[in-house]
Amino acid sequence: MKQTEEVKQAFEQRMDHTELMNCMRCGFCLPSCPTYVETGDNEAASPRGRIALMKGVVDGLIEPDEEVEKQLNLCLGCRACEPVCPSGVQYGHLLEEARDILEQHKQRPLHERALRRVVFHWLFPNHKRIRQTVSLLYLYQKTGLKTWVQKMKINQWLPKHLDEMQSILPNVPSPAEMKHRPAFLGAKQPVRKRVAFFSGCLMDTLFMSTNDATLTLLQLAGCEVVIPKTQGCCGALHGHSGEKEKAKELAKRNIAAFESLDVDAIVTNAGGCGAFLTEYQNLFQDEPKWRKRAEQFTGKIKDFSEILVECGFHKAVPLSMPEQMVTYQESCHLRNVMRISQAPRLLLESIDHVNVQELPENQYCCGSAGIYNIVQPELSMKILDRKMKQVQSLQPSLMVTANPGCLLQMRLGVKQAGLECDIRVEHLADVLLESVPQEMKNHGRGGENG
C-alpha cells in the first residue's frame, strides 16, 4: 500500500498536468495508433486511453496497478499520434515520464534487475564493452560456429523470435576495424560545410559499414567531418525504458563532447537516435544550466539526408542503379519527431533508372520500436504482418529505410515471407553510396586521422 501511495505521489508531482489536460479526447490519434488497431479497438491501448490512465492516476481515480503498467508498456512509442493531434499533445514525453516513475517504484525479481543492470548500466554506456560484445558476434559468424549451431539445431533452444532475430543480423566487422575509427575526414569536394558526426553505439559497431557509407557521402557532398572520440550512446534505449537518470548521464556526456566544436551541424543517420538527441532538453527540466546547454546542442542535430540535400549532393553527383522498383519505409522517429520525410525521398528519386513507389500505409510502424520486437514479440509480429501485406501488394525489389531497427525488422519480415531472393532491404546511406559512380568513390579520401 505504501508503495502504491508513493507512485501516486510521484505521478502527481512529476507528470505535466497541462499536457495531460491538453488532450481533448477527440480521437484523431486512434487510426494512427498500431496497438489500438491491432488489439481490436481497445481504448486503453490508444494514446487517448493511455493519457486517460495517466490522468486517472494523477487525480487519484485509478490505481497504478499492473494493468496500467501493461498498457503503457504495450505502446510502441512510435509517436504517430503526435503529428495528427490538433492540440499538439507531446504524448512521447508523458509516456517516458510515466514509465520512469513506474520503473523506479517497481520491485523486479533478482534476475530481471541483474539483466537490466547489465544492459543499461554496464554495456551500453561503455563503447569498449559494446565493441567487445559485437566482436563475439564476429567470431560466431566467421569461425563456423554459426553453421555448427544451426547444424546441431542448438538455435532451436532459443525463443523463436530471438532465433529469427539472430539469423538476420548483418555481417559484423572485425575487432580491429571497430577499434580504429577516424576522428576527422576531409571533404572530397570543395568545402560547403563543417559538420560533426554522431556515430552512436550499435551504429558504429554492428552497423559500421552504414556509418562508413554515411561518412563517404558527407565527404562527397563537400563536408569536413569531425568525429569526437568522447561521444557515446545517445541514451534512447534508457529514456524509453524507465532509466531516465542514466539517460541524463549519457546526454551530459554527449553534450560535452560536441559543444566546443565549431561546426554547422551535428549529423546522425539513425532515426531513433536522432529523435532522442533532438529532445535532450526535456531531460533537464530541473537543471536550468544543462537545459540551456542541451538546447544549444539539439539546435544543431540534423539527419544526414537533410545535409546531403542542403549541399546539393543529389544534383552534383550522377547517381545511378540498375532498373528496379524501390520503396521507402519511413522511420517513425525520423518522421514523427524530427519531422523529416521529404529529404530521403528526394535523394532516392534522384537515382537514375529506379522507379520509386510509395508504400501503402507508410506512416504505419513496422513493429521494431527499439527493443519492442524482443519484449513484445507477439504484437510486434502482428504489426509486421500487416506491414508485409502492404510490401507484397507493391512487390518492390528494393526496400529502403533510415533506421537500424526498422532495417532488421523489415529483413525479418522479408525472410518470414520467403522473399529473400526477391526483395533487398537496405539503409538509405548504403543505397546512395551504391549508386555513386565507382571513380568518385575512389577519388581521394581527404585527410583523416583516428
Side-chain angles (χ1 to χ4, degrees):
M1 184 66 181
K2 180 182 177 183
Q3 184 182 2
T4 300
E5 289 303 316
E6 289 176 352
V7 174
K8 288 181 179 178
Q9 289 177 10
F11 263 78
E12 187 175 353
Q13 293 167 5
R14 291 175 53 183
M15 296 301 293
D16 189 329
H17 292 231
T18 302
E19 203 65 49
L20 288 171
M21 291 301 296
N22 278 344
C23 176
M24 301 186 302
R25 317 291 190 263
C26 65
F28 281 13
C29 60
L30 300 182
S32 69
C33 176
T35 56
Y36 175 77
V37 173
E38 296 299 335
T39 56
D41 299 344
N42 177 8
E43 179 68 24
S46 71
R48 179 175 71 177
R50 292 186 180 106
I51 290 174
L53 291 175
M54 297 177 207
K55 187 174 183 301
V57 175
V58 169
D59 293 340
L61 302 175
I62 295 176
E63 293 291 312
D65 56 17
E66 291 184 0
E67 185 59 28
V68 171
E69 182 181 13
K70 174 186 174 182
Q71 291 301 339
L72 295 184
N73 287 338
L74 200 64
C75 178
L76 291 145
C78 69
R79 296 171 68 170
C81 51
E82 293 185 14
V84 300
C85 177
S87 299
V89 175
Q90 296 298 298
Y91 170 79
H93 303 162
L94 292 173
L95 177 68
E96 288 180 6
E97 196 69 19
R99 282 178 171 174
D100 187 65
I101 293 170
L102 291 172
E103 183 58 40
Q104 300 316 309
H105 292 84
K106 187 177 180 62
Q107 296 297 318
R108 289 185 177 273
L110 179 61
H111 70 281
E112 289 187 15
R113 296 203 304 272
L115 180 60
R116 289 180 68 90
R117 188 78 185 173
V118 168
V119 172
F120 294 119
H121 295 260
W122 183 83
L123 179 60
F124 277 92
N126 189 302
H127 193 67
K128 182 178 180 180
R129 290 178 189 146
I130 292 177
R131 284 205 317 264
Q132 291 170 340
T133 302
V134 174
S135 293
L136 295 177
L137 279 176
Y138 173 80
L139 294 175
Y140 174 70
Q141 292 178 341
K142 298 299 181 181
T143 61
L145 181 59
K146 179 178 180 180
T147 302
W148 181 81
V149 165
Q150 292 172 337
K151 184 177 180 180
M152 300 301 293
K153 299 183 178 180
I154 296 175
N155 56 311
Q156 293 181 1
W157 297 351
L158 290 171
K160 182 182 177 183
H161 64 284
L162 289 181
D163 180 38
E164 290 177 331
M165 289 304 296
Q166 68 86 24
S167 71
I168 46 90
L169 290 174
N171 290 326
V172 176
S174 70
E177 289 174 311
M178 287 187 282
K179 185 176 181 180
H180 298 292
R181 304 295 289 145
F184 173 81
L185 293 170
K188 292 187 176 183
Q189 302 294 334
V191 177
R192 292 176 176 271
K193 290 181 184 287
R194 179 179 173 86
V195 303
F197 182 61
F198 186 84
S199 53
C201 48
L202 291 180
M203 285 303 299
D204 214 43
T205 50
L206 194 62
F207 296 93
M208 195 184 79
S209 61
T210 298
N211 265 9
D212 286 343
T214 306
L215 291 169
T216 300
L217 292 170
L218 290 170
Q219 290 179 280
L220 289 169
C223 293
E224 293 181 335
V225 190
V226 183
I227 308 108
K229 291 290 188 182
T230 53
Q231 64 176 298
C233 173
C234 69
L237 183 63
H238 302 77
H240 300 328
S241 304
E243 296 281 347
K244 185 177 179 180
E245 287 306 311
K246 200 64 185 179
K248 289 172 69 173
E249 286 181 30
L250 294 169
K252 288 178 179 179
R253 174 181 172 182
N254 287 322
I255 292 167
F258 285 89
E259 65 184 348
S260 63
L261 302 177
D262 181 20
V263 294
D264 300 306
I266 300 170
V267 182
T268 72
N269 63 354
C273 297
F276 198 72
L277 293 172
T278 62
E279 297 189 330
Y280 266 1
Q281 69 273 14
N282 295 309
L283 295 171
F284 302 108
Q285 298 293 343
D286 300 323
E287 299 182 57
K289 289 184 179 179
W290 273 105
R291 181 177 175 85
K292 184 176 180 180
R293 292 171 70 177
E295 288 173 347
Q296 293 173 340
F297 172 86
T298 60
K300 289 191 173 184
I301 298 295
K302 288 197 173 186
D303 185 70
F304 84 102
S305 62
E306 288 183 286
I307 294 294
L308 294 183
V309 170
E310 288 176 10
C311 290
F313 169 83
H314 57 304
K315 297 178 180 178
V317 178
L319 305 175
S320 179
M321 294 182 74
E323 189 170 339
Q324 60 192 293
M325 183 194 292
V326 177
T327 194
Y328 174 61
Q329 164 60 31
E330 296 206 76
S331 155
C332 291
H333 286 98
L334 192 64
R335 175 182 182 270
N336 301 326
V337 182
M338 297 183 74
R339 303 298 171 95
I340 297 170
S341 189
Q342 292 307 311
R345 288 178 168 83
L346 184 60
L347 291 167
L348 284 175
E349 289 167 357
S350 67
I351 303 174
D352 286 343
H353 310 305
V354 302
N355 175 18
V356 181
Q357 292 292 318
E358 192 70 16
L359 185 67
E361 295 188 352
N362 206 341
Q363 77 286 354
Y364 202 79
C365 183
C366 67
S368 171
I371 58 172
Y372 190 90
N373 51 8
I374 296 175
V375 298
Q376 301 282 354
E378 184 178 350
L379 189 52
S380 173
M381 291 303 102
K382 285 183 67 176
I383 293 169
L384 178 59
D385 288 343
R386 179 183 179 121
K387 177 64 65 176
M388 285 307 302
K389 287 178 182 177
Q390 305 299 343
V391 173
Q392 289 173 299
S393 73
L394 194 62
Q395 296 185 327
S397 56
L398 174 62
M399 175 175 288
V400 182
T401 187
N403 189 61
C406 305
L407 177 72
L408 292 181
Q409 183 80 341
M410 295 314 304
R411 282 183 178 173
L412 178 60
V414 167
K415 179 177 181 179
Q416 290 177 338
L419 297 172
E420 291 171 288
C421 296
D422 302 313
I423 303 176
R424 280 200 303 150
V425 184
E426 303 291 347
H427 190 283
L428 175 62
D430 295 305
V431 171
L432 290 173
L433 187 60
E434 182 182 335
S435 67
V436 172
Q438 190 62 46
E439 60 271 18
M440 291 192 70
K441 295 184 218 180
N442 295 336
H443 177 65
R445 175 136 175 101
E448 78 172 69
N449 61 72

